[in-house]
PDB file of all heavy atoms in Angstrom:
ATOM      1  N   LYS L 234      21.458  35.185 -21.461  1.00 97.00           N
ATOM      2  CA  LYS L 234      21.711  35.614 -20.076  1.00 97.00           C
ATOM      3  C   LYS L 234      20.434  35.566 -19.247  1.00 97.00           C
ATOM      4  O   LYS L 234      20.464  35.224 -18.067  1.00 97.00           O
ATOM      5  CB  LYS L 234      22.265  37.050 -20.060  1.00 97.00           C
ATOM      6  CG  LYS L 234      23.753  37.116 -20.288  1.00 97.00           C
ATOM      7  CD  LYS L 234      24.267  38.534 -20.035  1.00 97.00           C
ATOM      8  CE  LYS L 234      25.545  38.771 -20.826  1.00 97.00           C
ATOM      9  NZ  LYS L 234      25.771  40.186 -21.142  1.00 97.00           N
ATOM     10  N   VAL L 235      19.326  35.941 -19.881  1.00 97.00           N
ATOM     11  CA  VAL L 235      18.034  35.878 -19.195  1.00 97.00           C
ATOM     12  C   VAL L 235      17.709  34.423 -18.847  1.00 97.00           C
ATOM     13  O   VAL L 235      17.300  34.107 -17.718  1.00 97.00           O
ATOM     14  CB  VAL L 235      16.918  36.491 -20.069  1.00 97.00           C
ATOM     15  CG1 VAL L 235      15.559  36.371 -19.387  1.00 97.00           C
ATOM     16  CG2 VAL L 235      17.220  37.956 -20.386  1.00 97.00           C
ATOM     17  N   ASP L 236      17.913  33.540 -19.826  1.00 97.00           N
ATOM     18  CA  ASP L 236      17.633  32.117 -19.598  1.00 97.00           C
ATOM     19  C   ASP L 236      18.515  31.557 -18.486  1.00 97.00           C
ATOM     20  O   ASP L 236      18.054  30.787 -17.637  1.00 97.00           O
ATOM     21  CB  ASP L 236      17.850  31.319 -20.893  1.00 97.00           C
ATOM     22  CG  ASP L 236      16.839  31.717 -21.966  1.00 97.00           C
ATOM     23  OD1 ASP L 236      15.882  32.431 -21.654  1.00 97.00           O
ATOM     24  OD2 ASP L 236      17.043  31.314 -23.132  1.00 97.00           O
ATOM     25  N   ASP L 237      19.795  31.954 -18.501  1.00 97.00           N
ATOM     26  CA  ASP L 237      20.722  31.481 -17.454  1.00 97.00           C
ATOM     27  C   ASP L 237      20.259  31.937 -16.080  1.00 97.00           C
ATOM     28  O   ASP L 237      20.273  31.167 -15.123  1.00 97.00           O
ATOM     29  CB  ASP L 237      22.138  32.033 -17.703  1.00 97.00           C
ATOM     30  CG  ASP L 237      22.802  31.370 -18.906  1.00 97.00           C
ATOM     31  OD1 ASP L 237      22.288  30.318 -19.358  1.00 97.00           O
ATOM     32  OD2 ASP L 237      23.823  31.898 -19.395  1.00 97.00           O
ATOM     33  N   LEU L 238      19.857  33.210 -16.016  1.00 97.00           N
ATOM     34  CA  LEU L 238      19.429  33.758 -14.723  1.00 97.00           C
ATOM     35  C   LEU L 238      18.181  33.037 -14.235  1.00 97.00           C
ATOM     36  O   LEU L 238      18.034  32.750 -13.047  1.00 97.00           O
ATOM     37  CB  LEU L 238      19.192  35.272 -14.872  1.00 97.00           C
ATOM     38  CG  LEU L 238      18.874  36.053 -13.598  1.00 97.00           C
ATOM     39  CD1 LEU L 238      19.858  35.764 -12.481  1.00 97.00           C
ATOM     40  CD2 LEU L 238      18.885  37.562 -13.894  1.00 97.00           C
ATOM     41  N   GLN L 239      17.291  32.721 -15.173  1.00 96.00           N
ATOM     42  CA  GLN L 239      16.083  32.010 -14.758  1.00 96.00           C
ATOM     43  C   GLN L 239      16.417  30.634 -14.165  1.00 96.00           C
ATOM     44  O   GLN L 239      15.913  30.260 -13.121  1.00 96.00           O
ATOM     45  CB  GLN L 239      15.120  31.820 -15.928  1.00 96.00           C
ATOM     46  CG  GLN L 239      13.729  31.399 -15.429  1.00 96.00           C
ATOM     47  CD  GLN L 239      13.126  30.257 -16.201  1.00 96.00           C
ATOM     48  OE1 GLN L 239      13.547  29.954 -17.316  1.00 96.00           O
ATOM     49  NE2 GLN L 239      12.151  29.614 -15.624  1.00 96.00           N
ATOM     50  N   GLU L 241      19.170  29.744 -12.821  1.00 96.00           N
ATOM     51  CA  GLU L 241      19.856  29.948 -11.542  1.00 96.00           C
ATOM     52  C   GLU L 241      18.836  30.223 -10.419  1.00 96.00           C
ATOM     53  O   GLU L 241      18.934  29.641  -9.333  1.00 96.00           O
ATOM     54  CB  GLU L 241      20.823  31.122 -11.689  1.00 96.00           C
ATOM     55  CG  GLU L 241      21.789  31.265 -10.536  1.00 96.00           C
ATOM     56  CD  GLU L 241      22.405  32.662 -10.519  1.00 96.00           C
ATOM     57  OE1 GLU L 241      22.846  33.132 -11.591  1.00 96.00           O
ATOM     58  OE2 GLU L 241      22.395  33.281  -9.432  1.00 96.00           O
ATOM     59  N   LEU L 242      17.866  31.100 -10.730  1.00 96.00           N
ATOM     60  CA  LEU L 242      16.854  31.425  -9.716  1.00 96.00           C
ATOM     61  C   LEU L 242      16.016  30.202  -9.367  1.00 96.00           C
ATOM     62  O   LEU L 242      15.663  29.985  -8.212  1.00 96.00           O
ATOM     63  CB  LEU L 242      15.943  32.555 -10.214  1.00 96.00           C
ATOM     64  CG  LEU L 242      16.567  33.947 -10.293  1.00 96.00           C
ATOM     65  CD1 LEU L 242      15.554  34.955 -10.798  1.00 96.00           C
ATOM     66  CD2 LEU L 242      17.099  34.378  -8.933  1.00 96.00           C
TER      67      LEU L 242
END
Side-chain angles (χ1 to χ4, degrees):
Chain L
K234 276 189 205 154
V235 177
D236 294 349
D237 288 346
L238 186 50
Q239 194 226 342
E241 192 198 313
L242 289 180

